[in-house]
Amino acid sequence: MKTIMITVIIALVLSSCQFDLFEKNEFQLPETKIITVSNNEVNETEITFSVSDPSDKEIKYIGICYNQTGEPKSNENQQLFEGKIGTFTTKISDLKPDSTYYFRSFSANEFGYSESQVISYKIPEPTPIYAPCSVNVNTIEEDNTSYNIYSEYASANSGNAGNYGVDLMYNSFSGSKNLKFSFNSLPGTGIYTTTDLSGISNDNKSVYVNITNVATIKSGAKLYIENINSDSLRLTFCDFKYSQFSNEVNLAGHIKIKIN
């Protein structure tokens, strides 16, 4: 009789555990999928993906990966984010035009790791970037007075920081000026935003601009760049500002320069 009762108790315990297992959806992996891949108006590739979890367990991390050969692994060109449930969009700059890339999302909870389907996407040719002002080519305007650029150079060593720079020289009413643009890398077609010296290491679409021995261009202004066949750069800006002798100077410019 004791043996029968023990057997019955064990059976009930196992039955109860099994019921809780399926009821609470425990020991299940999170689910993720790529929703869309597209290019936006400033030639960035946007990847939208979703993450859900049938269990109530914490999402440890989420992310995307990509390559040009197919079936990307999570450590290839990885973008990793804080673990959350929902729909997310991330942006990638400077992928090669007219080239096919393969994208996958991934996520993990305490039980393991899951991957989405693979989506292939051919990067389109960049669309032209139009600045909202008109300035003659190779000209700088200070407070609406035009000055010709007499020296220009673009190379890995032309900036004050980062890994690529553009160096311009022009004569203004207050003397010769040396305008320097510092980028994290060779800029592609797109809209860049001026930042302080520390900002260029954090964002590919940021640029540090200063007038040597005079002032730094204030953060938040837009620089419109067109990379022409990886041979030349066209830089246009309309709303640069800097301070000199307690006055705020407005700066606009349009430069086409050979890449060295």
Side-chain angles (χ1 to χ4, degrees), residues 2-260:
K2 291 181 179 179
T3 303
I4 294 173
M5 289 180 65
I6 291 171
T7 303
V8 170
I9 291 171
I10 292 173
L12 287 172
V13 170
L14 291 175
S15 175
S16 174
C17 289
Q18 188 176 34
F19 178 79
D20 287 342
L21 173 65
F22 287 105
E23 185 70 22
K24 294 180 181 179
N25 291 314
E26 293 180 347
F27 307 112
Q28 292 194 30
L29 297 177
E31 299 173 354
T32 180
K33 65 178 180 179
I34 299 283
I35 299 174
T36 60
V37 181
S38 62
N39 261 38
N40 61 23
E41 68 277 5
V42 294
N43 302 304
E44 297 168 323
T45 303
E46 294 187 349
I47 302 94
T48 300
F49 64 103
S50 66
V51 178
S52 60
D53 196 332
S55 73
D56 295 327
K57 302 300 181 182
E58 178 186 3
I59 300 292
K60 298 295 185 181
Y61 59 83
I62 64 175
I64 66 150
C65 54
Y66 63 94
N67 64 21
Q68 289 186 264
T69 58
E71 297 298 327
K73 305 299 182 184
S74 63
N75 61 350
E76 291 184 281
N77 301 305
Q78 181 189 88
Q79 289 195 359
L80 197 62
F81 309 101
E82 178 185 355
K84 291 181 180 179
I85 293 173
T87 300
F88 310 92
T89 298
T90 184
K91 300 175 183 180
I92 304 174
S93 302
D94 304 328
L95 297 182
K96 296 178 182 177
D98 201 32
S99 299
T100 298
Y101 287 79
Y102 299 85
F103 299 89
R104 192 199 299 271
S105 61
F106 55 86
S107 59
N109 61 15
E110 65 183 78
F111 300 123
Y113 164 89
S114 62
E115 297 178 325
S116 76
Q117 83 282 29
V118 175
I119 296 293
S120 63
Y121 179 70
K122 187 174 182 179
I123 307 301
E125 292 292 337
T127 55
I129 298 295
Y130 296 105
C133 62
S134 179
V135 180
N136 291 334
V137 68
N138 290 342
T139 299
I140 298 290
E141 292 184 356
E142 285 195 359
D143 287 336
N144 298 317
T145 300
S146 295
Y147 304 98
N148 292 329
I149 297 169
Y150 66 83
S151 174
E152 69 275 342
Y153 202 77
S155 73
N157 301 313
S158 294
N160 285 326
N163 299 306
Y164 201 86
V166 173
D167 189 308
L168 307 175
M169 298 288 293
Y170 66 99
N171 286 317
S172 74
F173 72 98
S174 57
S176 180
K177 298 283 182 63
N178 183 195
L179 186 63
K180 282 181 171 282
F181 300 76
S182 300
F183 300 92
N184 203 28
S185 60
L186 173 65
T189 297
I191 302 175
Y192 288 66
T193 303
T194 58
T195 184
D196 59 21
L197 189 58
S198 64
I200 63 169
S201 62
N202 301 323
D203 185 351
N204 285 335
K205 283 292 190 291
S206 290
V207 56
Y208 173 71
V209 186
N210 72 303
I211 302 177
T212 303
N213 299 324
V214 177
T216 296
I217 301 303
K218 293 183 177 181
S219 297
K222 300 301 181 183
L223 174 64
Y224 303 83
I225 297 182
E226 184 180 0
N227 188 313
I228 306 169
N229 300 322
S230 297
D231 175 73
S232 301
L233 295 175
R234 184 187 302 275
L235 289 72
T236 310
F237 49 94
C238 306
D239 61 347
F240 282 11
K241 297 181 185 299
Y242 71 92
S243 296
Q244 185 177 24
F245 309 124
S246 301
N247 297 317
E248 186 172 77
V249 180
N250 298 299
L251 206 64
H254 179 188
I255 305 96
K256 185 177 179 182
I257 186 171
K258 187 84 171 175
I259 293 173
N260 291 289

